[in-house]
Amino acid sequence: MLGRALFRSQYALAAKSRGQQLSSASHKTARRSLANLAMFAAAKKFSLSAAPSERAKVAIVDDSGSYTYAQLLSDAYKVRTALGSKDHKGASIAMLMPNSYEYAAVQWGIWAAGGAVVPLSPMHPERELEYFITNAEARQIICHPSLLKNIQPVLDRLGGSVELLSSDVIMALADTTPSDRGADAEISADQSALFIYTSGTTGKPKGVVHTHATIGAQVGALYDAWGWTSSDRLLHVLPLHHVHGIVVALCSALWAGATTEMMPKFDKSRVWSRVIDGPQDISILMGVPTMYARLLSALEDMSPARQSAARDSMGKLRLTISGSAALPASVFKKWQQATGQAMLERYGMSEIGMALSNDALNPAARKMGAVGKPLPGVEVRLVDGEGVNVTDTPGASGMIQVKGPNVFHEYYNLPEKTAKEFTTDGWFITGDIGTRDADGLYYIMGRESVDIIKSGGFKLSALEIERELLELPIITDVAVVGIPSEEWGEIVAAAVTLRPGTSLDIAGLKEWCHNRMANYKSPKLLRVVDALPRNLMGKLDKKAVKSLFSK
Ligand code: MCA
Ligand code: AMP
């Protein structure tokens, strides 16, 4: 496994990116104080700047107002104070916050205290929240009062072992100035910084652990490749419990000293009215293909005059970016026709951040269907079923493997599973099959495992859903598959056999799933059959299961 020393050198590599040069002292030592962490460099620059215009630089705008970088730093220090003055040294600290300015303040505060952020989502039911908190061994949680009802029963069950801190109480603390903040926690680049829970082909969801070094490498690479500047203004519409919303969108913008406008959740009408009717200053929009498909369908319902205004406004953005799932060619084409924007598609994963990206600075170089070339500092190769490296054979397909300072540290407390996902020579095995053309552009062909479903950009494990469904006493056998869908990419479908004399419909199944899994995991299609298709070995024939849904 990758060792500590290597992470130090990875951090040094990441520090070479333009982003980290904002903080001249930041990469001179392996151990550094908070204020020198690259993530905070732009904020620090704006906070301490002598020029009033820079001190007024807005970090985040949400439905409650506008917040400067100076305010963000001050609020982060309040969070640090509330967490206790000890150095948490990478200890897990959970947070359950709506998409808002305060989300960022809490995230930064946990980092300021030396902790590792475990972001929980309002989309998760109690069972999942409990699993994430206990699996990550979080001993403290910061929660917004509006979400207290989601977490209180979990904390009661955990019998006081997790300390609850309310974000509104923390935010009401007195503002701090740099002089009264005391000594910073010593943050080392290789300590845990972020947990992202991801579903795999075996077992329960795993906690992907990123360090300050791996996050820094990811954000630094995007800063360079996508040409982020402090003049950018990001419209943020993504959930904040995955790498896409947290790292690729929010952290990148904060790293660059840009402004983020945060919506509480994606809403196609709200996005269009902001872009068309608001100030013409949004420069970046990021989303999953389902969001762009929905924006296009909303556009079709507009009057011709409104469509023309939409084209003018969306056409002004510097970048419209799609990822987390394959962007259908139809969406790419319609988006280009409707807005004049050649969508920037990129490829990544919770474990690696972003690995491949089309050309951000030259729209003409973006190819429909391609996910681009390796980002700065990231190595990518394709290895076929025989173990042959076919990267340089145009059109040959192989497993996408990735190496670089962006690659995660470990699956939490799962050393064997972590090791299994790496080749003996240290490449991370993504599970995605890709191909590369003669111009060096990569294309994603699909997943190796039929048991990984991508729905609306969320990665779901068929086996995990099957395990849950089997707990419904009337179900005797179950198979979960992904069925292709225009809107969602794939939708979750379940085929089941039932105990004699019982019945089940999709509404009943959803109701049962409601408290056990996030709604986005629960099946949208159901077939009740006499027997599930199995091969001679008794193994489920998932191809045949899929065909049950085409009848
Ligand atoms: C919501 N539902 C879904 C999904 N989202 N079902 C399947 N797949 C989904 N993705 C459920 C709702 O709970 C609801 O269920 C029903 O579908 C209709 O919901 P609706 O209101 O239409 O959906 P929504 O709430 O507007 O959500 C759609 C969405 C959302 C905005 C596209 O799915 C979303 O935010 N997706 C982004 C995912 C993402 O950020 N992925 C990043 C991970 P019911 O009717 O039962 O109530 S990947 C990643 O991080 C890597 C690094 C990468 O490459 O980016
Ligand atoms: P997650 O593990 O939730 O971070 O999701 C990562 C997975 O999303 C990858 O392993 C791919 O299967 C998929 N993915 C991300 N970006 C793309 C893309 N541009 N095209 C196709 N699949 C993608």
Side-chain angles (χ1 to χ4, degrees):
M1 241 341 331
L2 301 168
R4 288 183 154 242
L6 179 54
F7 275 104
R8 293 228 173 84
S9 63
Q10 286 173 342
Y11 192 70
L13 193 108
K16 286 193 190 128
S17 82
R18 278 194 305 146
Q20 299 204 352
Q21 286 163 17
L22 282 167
S23 163
S24 59
S26 69
H27 42 273
K28 291 209 173 114
T29 56
R31 289 183 72 76
R32 64 211 66 238
S33 63
L34 161 81
N36 286 338
L37 264 186
M39 183 59 72
F40 298 87
K44 212 183 146 214
K45 175 177 160 244
F46 289 128
S47 305
L48 301 179
S49 163
S53 61
E54 294 217 315
R55 280 206 306 274
K57 175 74 193 181
V58 171
I60 295 181
V61 179
D62 70 8
D63 285 350
S64 67
S66 287
Y67 302 88
T68 61
Y69 274 96
Q71 184 70 49
L72 177 58
L73 273 184
S74 172
D75 286 336
Y77 277 95
K78 291 180 196 170
V79 174
R80 187 195 71 167
T81 304
L83 287 169
S85 54
K86 70 171 176 154
D87 178 352
H88 291 259
K89 292 198 166 53
S92 307
I93 299 173
M95 58 181 279
L96 179 57
M97 299 289 297
N99 287 25
S100 59
Y101 160 73
E102 283 185 13
Y103 177 103
V106 169
Q107 182 196 59
W108 276 30
I110 293 173
W111 283 340
V117 173
V118 182
L120 304 175
S121 167
M123 294 178 189
H124 293 132
E126 277 173 31
R127 268 167 65 106
E128 291 190 328
L129 292 172
E130 184 168 344
Y131 173 75
F132 298 139
I133 291 172
T134 50
N135 184 269
E137 301 178 283
R139 291 283 169 269
Q140 289 177 301
I141 175 167
I142 301 177
C143 181
H144 190 269
S146 64
L147 297 170
L148 204 57
K149 60 185 182 313
N150 301 30
I151 204 74
Q152 192 62 61
V154 175
L155 300 181
D156 291 345
R157 267 199 302 280
L158 295 176
S161 59
V162 180
E163 183 193 2
L164 173 69
L165 298 122
S166 178
S167 61
D168 62 338
V169 174
I170 298 174
M171 293 302 147
L173 296 173
D175 272 328
T176 58
T177 59
S179 57
D180 55 32
R181 284 172 193 163
D184 284 322
E186 282 285 305
I187 315 284
S188 101
D190 59 0
Q191 76 185 41
S192 302
L194 179 65
F195 279 58
I196 299 291
Y197 276 87
T198 188
S199 296
T201 48
T202 56
K204 299 266 243 172
K206 300 174 292 231
V208 173
V209 180
H210 282 288
T211 63
H212 288 286
T214 63
I215 296 171
Q218 291 168 24
V219 176
L222 292 178
Y223 183 84
D224 287 342
W226 290 357
W228 277 96
T229 73
S230 59
S231 308
D232 275 313
R233 194 170 181 100
L234 168 74
L235 186 56
H236 194 298
V237 294
L238 288 153
L240 280 167
H241 62 298
H242 281 295
V243 162
H244 196 167
I246 300 172
V247 179
V248 186
L250 181 60
C251 287
S252 294
L254 294 174
W255 173 287
T259 298
T260 299
E261 270 190 44
M262 205 178 281
M263 289 192 172
K265 76 176 290 256
F266 173 78
D267 172 341
K268 61 188 179 184
S269 310
R270 227 186 127 177
V271 170
W272 277 123
S273 25
R274 168 61 188 91
V275 171
I276 301 171
D277 305 321
Q280 303 290 288
D281 55 359
I282 300 293
S283 65
I284 301 183
L285 175 66
M286 289 185 202
V288 300
T290 305
M291 293 174 178
Y292 288 106
R294 288 186 177 186
L295 287 172
L296 284 167
S297 81
L299 194 65
E300 278 167 20
D301 295 337
M302 291 177 193
S303 67
R306 190 85 178 144
Q307 284 180 358
S308 159
R311 183 191 169 86
D312 286 350
S313 302
M314 195 60 89
K316 287 187 184 122
L317 269 64
R318 191 168 77 71
L319 291 170
T320 58
I321 305 174
S322 174
S324 300
L327 179 68
S330 58
V331 175
F332 181 96
K333 279 190 212 149
K334 282 188 199 163
W335 188 251
Q336 194 162 28
Q337 278 159 10
T339 66
Q341 292 276 358
M343 189 86 77
L344 179 84
E345 189 171 4
R346 78 342 174 245
Y347 161 85
M349 199 173 174
S350 298
E351 288 86 337
I352 58 173
M354 297 300 100
L356 297 161
S357 172
N358 272 286
D359 194 328
L361 309 179
N362 177 13
R366 294 175 206 157
K367 254 197 205 168
M368 188 170 70
V371 289
K373 297 184 178 179
L375 283 159
V378 182
E379 289 179 79
V380 178
R381 72 181 186 188
L382 299 174
V383 177
D384 74 7
E386 260 69 71
V388 178
N389 184 338
V390 293
T391 318
D392 295 327
T393 312
S397 61
M399 172 66 66
I400 301 177
Q401 299 184 354
V402 176
K403 204 181 212 180
N406 53 309
V407 176
F408 74 124
H409 177 50
E410 61 174 356
Y411 294 120
Y412 190 62
N413 277 343
L414 295 170
E416 280 162 22
K417 283 199 173 150
T418 308
K420 215 168 107 294
E421 302 301 328
F422 286 84
T423 62
T424 48
D425 55 347
W427 292 75
F428 174 68
I429 305 163
T430 62
D432 291 307
I433 306 298
T435 179
R436 184 169 172 261
D437 69 13
D439 298 327
L441 292 166
Y442 284 80
Y443 298 75
I444 309 299
M445 318 289 288
R447 296 282 311 177
E448 187 191 37
S449 168
V450 69
D451 288 321
I452 294 294
I453 300 169
K454 260 278 162 167
S455 178
F458 286 120
K459 180 171 163 182
L460 313 175
S461 158
L463 303 183
E464 187 189 319
I465 299 170
E466 285 167 4
R467 245 195 328 271
E468 292 289 343
L469 297 189
L470 270 177
E471 284 186 28
L472 178 58
I474 62 168
I475 292 182
T476 49
D477 202 2
V478 60
V480 167
V481 290
I483 302 294
S485 149
E486 269 280 306
E487 181 184 7
W488 296 104
E490 285 182 296
I491 46 179
V492 178
V496 299
T497 61
L498 298 179
R499 285 194 196 292
T502 61
S503 64
L504 184 67
D505 63 11
I506 187 68
L509 183 67
K510 276 195 165 185
E511 194 186 322
W512 189 82
C513 289
H514 185 64
N515 292 325
R516 310 179 75 91
M517 57 181 93
N519 272 0
Y520 55 76
K521 295 182 185 172
S522 78
K524 285 190 164 53
L525 294 174
L526 173 70
R527 290 281 183 277
V528 178
V529 292
D530 292 335
L532 291 174
R534 291 184 179 275
N535 65 20
L536 290 176
M537 311 292 289
K539 195 171 175 293
L540 275 171
D541 178 351
K542 290 246 165 149
K543 216 169 146 196
V545 174
K546 284 188 183 205
S547 65
L548 291 173
F549 292 88
S550 54
K551 287 172 195 160

